[in-house]
Structures are given as C-alpha cells and as structure tokens.
Amino acid sequence: MQAVARRPRTNHLDLAQRILDVARQRGFEPGARLPEQQIASLCNVSRTPVRAALSLLAERGVVRWEADTGYHLAIDLAAQPAIAAELPNAEEDELAEAILRDRSARRLDQTVTVAGLMRRYDAERKTVLKALNKLTDENLLDRAPGQSWLFRRAPDDPEAQGESYEFRLLLEPAAILMPGFRLDGTRAAALRQGMEALSALPDASFDTREFQRVDMDFHGMIAEGCANRFVSDALADHLRLRRLPGIYAGVNVFRLRQSLREHLSILDYLESRQYEVAADLLRIHLRLSRNQRPQAASRGAPALFGMISRPD
C-alpha cells in the first residue's frame, strides 16, 4: 500500500514564508548562507522549527544543504517573486482558503457554524476549528455565541469597495504625513525588486496572486511606517480584508501594471523623504484604483505620474 504524503505543519509553512520574506527584505542573493541561529533570531523563534522550515524549502529547491556550511539560498528571490505560491498548504490552510472563496462567491452565509462547515467540506472538527481560528486571527471572522462565527464586512461588492477606498483615502495619505513616519529601507528595497520583476513579466505570465501579495505588502509597509499606533492598527486591520478572493476581479492586467508603476513612483518619493509629494501621489493612486476602469486610468495615471520624474 502506497504511503500517503504527510502534510507539512502550518507553523512550519508560515515560518518558511517568513524566512523567504526576511531573505527578500534583506536582499539575500543566491548562495547566501542561512545560519539556523541567525534565522531563528530574525524570526524570533527557536532553531527547531527553523530547521524544519528550511528542510521544507530545500524540498522545493529554494534552499540547498551543504554538509560543511549548512543551508544556502539557491534561487534569486527578486527574479522569482511568486515562489511563495509553490509552497504546499496545510489542510487547515486549504480549508480556510475554500471558506474564503465560497464566502466571496456568496455560497456561504455571513454566519457559519462548525457543524455546518464539517458537513459542507467533509472535514474533521479539529481542522475546521483551526481554519476558523486562523481566519479569526487575521480579523476576517468574529466569534459569535455558541459554535458560530460571523464574517466581517469585506470590500467584496461595489458599494463596500467604494467605502473601503474612501476609508483608505482618509487614512493612508495621512499615515505618511504623520510626524515620525519611518520607511523600512530594507523592506522597501526588496519590495521594489519584487514589483520590478513582476512588471517585467509578459501579460500571459502576469501573476495576479503575486500582484495581490506585493500590493498588500506595499500598502502594509505604509501602515506600519506610521508613528501613530491607532492609525497604523486601523489600516493594518482593514488591509487584511483585501485577502478575500475576487478583490481584483474585473481589473485587467493593464490596470494592474499601472498600479505597479504608481507604487514605484510613490516609493521613489518615500525613499527621498518627500512625503508631501508621496501622499499626493498615493491619493491619486487610490482614486484611480477605486475607478478600476482602464479608460479612466489611461486619462489620468500615465500623464500625471509621467510628469513627475524620479527624485534624485
């Protein structure tokens, strides 16, 4: 009888992704050594889960093991921005994604129960609970009385998307202009590499899931750079709602490429500490994204963003 492949543990998968993020943010190049103790310190965990996560990455060819020197980065993360999509999913992660897809498609009501999800997905109780707890930790669900969970209002319809952009227009540019705003230079450099690599892909290979990741990372970086913890937390919580599948439905590759160029232009001014200009460009970017129409973007984005050259 053929043995069933054992699924990796969720914490090992999460840590593998964190290792990739750290390596990308710190500009690690192919061949860079990945000492277990250094990775453990950077990720604030012990060496045991780091060893398991590195082994998982080695199975995917992302890192390689050398007997004398340990683990080394085997690929160029900047040239392969979508490598995270190749990692396997734990059972509860797959269930969480299925729940989000069905909610986005209105196949699930706003309130769900453990028993109902067990029947619908033919899943064990512990798997359902882990998936629900994961979505709760990400602020996509709220616990209701009994064994019920309530989906939070998400920008998954035109009205809600409009309200979402109005909320972001109020807070995101303000976050940049708050006294004490700080840009994480290492993260910004790694994000720039990822966005440029994604922009270089032909339309047929353009990865919408990778765009969603860098889009969330870009706006999340702005939220985290805000020195006002209440503004930062409010933005971070709201941006998590954009994880839902279908958020970019109906937005074509042309507009997504424009969004990447707008991100890069905003980043230019953030890096040069010209925060007023960066905030103004961010307002324009959010308004264009709210429209989600290529013809509207064509009238505004290229001309305006093209007129403002990259700061020296």
Side-chain angles (χ1 to χ4, degrees), residues 134-260:
K134 175 182 175 66
L135 295 175
T136 301
D137 290 342
E138 294 177 0
N139 290 320
L140 296 171
L141 283 176
D142 289 321
R143 185 72 182 266
Q147 292 294 306
S148 299
W149 272 258
L150 185 69
F151 283 100
R152 295 185 66 188
R153 180 81 186 275
D156 57 354
D157 61 64
E159 181 182 359
Q161 287 175 5
E163 292 174 357
S164 171
Y165 277 111
E166 291 300 330
F167 176 84
R168 294 173 64 195
L169 276 163
L170 285 172
L171 287 190
E172 281 196 56
I176 293 175
L177 298 176
M178 289 279 178
F181 177 85
R182 177 182 174 275
L183 182 71
D184 185 332
T186 302
R187 181 176 177 182
L191 186 55
R192 177 184 293 279
Q193 286 184 326
M195 290 191 292
E196 290 175 344
L198 184 57
S199 296
L201 294 176
D203 284 359
S205 303
F206 193 89
D207 190 337
T208 305
R209 288 180 59 188
E210 178 61 14
F211 174 85
Q212 184 174 18
R213 187 192 71 79
V214 298
D215 182 60
M216 290 183 63
D217 198 13
F218 174 78
H219 291 282
M221 178 178 66
I222 291 174
E224 292 176 19
C226 180
N228 185 306
R229 72 190 73 178
F230 298 104
V231 173
S232 180
D233 289 348
L235 276 174
D237 284 347
H238 184 75
L239 290 171
R240 289 190 190 98
L241 298 177
R242 295 175 58 78
R243 258 205 63 206
L244 280 176
I247 291 296
Y248 299 96
V251 185
N252 62 22
V253 172
F254 175 80
R255 175 57 200 152
L256 299 184
R257 287 189 183 281
Q258 282 192 330
S259 291
L260 288 172

Side-chain angles (χ1 to χ4, degrees), residues 284-302:
I284 296 167
H285 165 69
L286 291 172
R287 288 175 181 139
L288 290 169
S289 297
R290 178 182 58 188
N291 291 337
Q292 293 190 357
R293 294 195 302 269
Q295 63 269 28
S298 297
R299 288 196 299 268

Side-chain angles (χ1 to χ4, degrees), residues 256-297:
L256 299 184
R257 287 189 183 281
Q258 282 192 330
S259 291
L260 288 172
R261 291 197 293 270
E262 291 160 16
H263 286 172
L264 290 167
S265 182
I266 294 165
L267 187 56
D268 290 340
Y269 286 92
L270 289 175
E271 290 175 332
S272 65
R273 298 188 180 184
Q274 297 184 48
Y275 296 140
E276 292 280 354
V277 179
D280 286 342
L281 291 178
L282 180 56
R283 289 189 190 93
I284 296 167
H285 165 69
L286 291 172
R287 288 175 181 139
L288 290 169
S289 297
R290 178 182 58 188
N291 291 337
Q292 293 190 357
R293 294 195 302 269
Q295 63 269 28

Side-chain angles (χ1 to χ4, degrees), residues 110-117 125 128-129 132-133 136 141-151:
Q110 188 173 11
T111 302
V112 293
T113 65
V114 174
L117 294 175
R125 182 182 183 84
V128 171
L129 286 171
L132 291 173
N133 287 330
T136 301
L141 283 176
D142 289 321
R143 185 72 182 266
Q147 292 294 306
S148 299
W149 272 258
L150 185 69
F151 283 100

